[in-house]
Amino acid sequence: MRFGALSYKTKQFFIVLIKLSIVVGAFYFIYQKITLNNDLSYHTFINYLEQHGVFTVKHMAFLVFLSSINWFLDVLKWQTLVIPIKQISIKNATQQTLGALTASLFTPNRIGEYGAKVLYFKPPLRKRVVLINLLGNITQMGVTTILGCIGLTLFLLNYDIDFNLKKVLRFLTIIILISVMIGFGLKQYPLKIKGQSFSKIKAFFKDYPKNNIYKASAFSLLRYAVFSFQFYWILIIFGVNISYPNAMIVISSMYLLASIIPSISIFDVVIKGSVAVYLFTSVGVNEFIILSTVMLMWLLNFALPSVFGSYYVLNFKLPESD
């Protein structure tokens, strides 16, 4: 039997099976990360949170509030970016944002987010939705890069870090050479994304309303301010004596370095943990505190929203064709 000839009930069965697989997979990976972390014992981590009063109503409510603001800003950013091609409500933007988060949790660099979000739109809009999602990620990465470069510069100027200058220069030279080769390759063999050439992608971004880009960039900046402050606040709860400006120098450096390392979202906590330990131990912060902070940040800003996103995944329906 051809796939196109499958009955409606059979197609619905496959859709339900896929949705259940995504949700079960997301929960399984979350469970693995919490219970099978070689660097941070689950019981030790929970006991440490209890000792510092993280589970008190006061601290937990504030931390969840910050995570809610973080994702609400991302929802507003997505709605702002999509509006030029289709009007969507806050409810729809929330469904698409959190549903895509759940579906992309165990994909490299959350690449699954692109495929998940396009499914909420009819086929004629899907190529533009991919580019809009790319634009949203570019605005967030732009903020991370700019603030991270400032933070990393201040970090290197203010703290005595043992690093090999020759290795750093060699690494930068390799990056520059790769960038030049990629640029030459794109010129000779035009890049295609979802069947669109680089020139068409460039034209799309050129014609895209600039006000929406400015608003999306503002939401990205606000998101950065919220989750970086949340990281700092957790350090304070854990008894770290560090000023906000000094903490931001290290935090911004950490997010910059962690963001340029390819990873699966579920292992994001490992990547950020390794980078954070190296940077924060250089300024005298205990390694266990940093690992606990990174883990708690991951639970609040990825695992918890994914739980809510699983509801939207299970209730997902393909848009009806015209």
Side-chain angles (χ1 to χ4, degrees):
M1 181 184 292
R2 292 177 302 170
F3 182 77
L6 291 175
S7 68
Y8 174 79
K9 287 186 177 180
T10 304
K11 289 180 180 178
Q12 290 302 307
F13 170 77
F14 279 115
I15 290 174
V16 170
L17 187 62
I18 291 170
K19 291 192 292 186
L20 286 173
S21 298
I22 291 172
V23 172
V24 171
F27 275 81
Y28 174 71
F29 277 113
I30 292 172
Y31 169 79
Q32 268 202 324
K33 181 45 56 188
I34 294 174
T35 60
L36 303 178
N37 191 333
N38 293 328
D39 297 320
L40 189 66
S41 165
Y42 166 72
H43 295 291
T44 305
F45 173 63
I46 295 298
N47 290 335
Y48 190 73
L49 296 185
E50 290 178 346
Q51 290 172 10
H52 288 82
V54 174
F55 293 130
T56 61
V57 175
K58 175 185 174 182
H59 286 320
M60 207 64 208
F62 186 57
L63 292 174
V64 171
F65 170 74
L66 290 175
S67 294
S68 301
I69 294 297
N70 174 27
W71 279 100
F72 182 64
L73 289 169
D74 198 45
V75 167
L76 291 177
K77 183 175 77 170
W78 178 243
Q79 183 192 36
T80 299
L81 289 169
V82 172
I83 279 177
I85 67 166
K86 181 179 175 60
Q87 290 286 337
I88 62 172
S89 64
I90 291 291
K91 180 180 178 181
N92 289 335
T94 301
Q95 176 183 2
Q96 293 165 18
T97 302
L98 295 185
L101 170 66
T102 303
S104 66
L105 193 64
F106 42 86
T107 60
N109 282 46
R110 290 182 55 195
I111 195 71
E113 180 185 30
Y114 289 88
K117 280 183 176 176
V118 300
L119 294 177
Y120 286 98
F121 297 85
K122 295 178 181 178
L125 297 176
R126 288 178 179 173
K127 288 183 179 180
R128 282 177 285 175
V129 171
V130 171
L131 297 179
I132 287 171
N133 194 52
L134 175 62
L135 183 59
N137 289 334
I138 288 173
T139 61
Q140 195 68 57
M141 187 61 188
V143 171
T144 301
T145 302
I146 293 171
L147 296 180
C149 286
I150 295 172
L152 188 57
T153 301
L154 293 173
F155 184 82
L156 294 174
L157 290 174
N158 286 279
Y159 298 102
D160 184 22
I161 303 299
D162 180 24
F163 71 98
N164 191 311
L165 183 59
K166 288 184 178 180
K167 287 185 178 180
V168 173
L169 291 175
R170 191 184 306 155
F171 174 76
L172 291 176
T173 301
I174 292 172
I175 293 297
I176 292 171
L177 288 174
I178 291 174
S179 299
V180 170
M181 287 189 290
I182 290 174
F184 179 76
L186 289 177
K187 187 176 181 180
Q188 299 298 316
Y189 306 97
L191 174 68
K192 289 190 176 183
I193 297 178
K194 292 284 288 184
Q196 301 188 75
S197 66
F198 183 74
S199 59
K200 289 184 178 180
I201 295 171
K202 184 178 178 181
F204 174 84
F205 287 150
K206 184 178 179 181
D207 296 334
Y208 187 85
K210 298 299 181 288
N211 283 338
N212 293 71
I213 296 178
Y214 298 147
K215 289 178 182 178
S217 298
F219 285 131
S220 295
L221 180 60
L222 289 173
R223 281 195 73 205
Y224 191 94
V226 170
F227 63 68
S228 59
F229 174 77
Q230 186 181 39
F231 196 104
Y232 166 73
W233 189 252
I234 293 174
L235 291 177
I236 297 302
I237 293 175
F238 288 157
V240 176
N241 184 20
I242 187 172
S243 67
Y244 181 68
N246 287 336
M248 278 305 302
I249 289 175
V250 187
I251 292 170
S252 59
S253 301
M254 175 197 71
Y255 279 119
L256 171 65
L257 296 176
S259 65
I260 62 177
I261 302 174
S263 66
I264 296 176
S265 183
I266 196 71
F267 299 124
D268 188 57
V269 64
V270 177
I271 302 299
K272 282 192 175 69
S274 301
V275 175
V277 165
Y278 175 75
L279 295 175
F280 274 99
T281 51
S282 300
V283 299
V285 181
N286 181 273
E287 178 179 336
F288 184 81
I289 292 176
I290 297 306
L291 289 174
S292 298
T293 302
V294 172
M295 172 61 84
L296 186 56
M297 283 289 294
W298 186 84
L299 289 172
L300 289 167
N301 292 291
F302 284 94
L304 182 61
S306 294
V307 172
F308 289 102
S310 64
Y311 169 80
Y312 295 117
V313 170
L314 291 173
N315 288 276
F316 169 77
K317 293 182 180 179
L318 286 170
E320 296 180 2
S321 302
D322 291 328

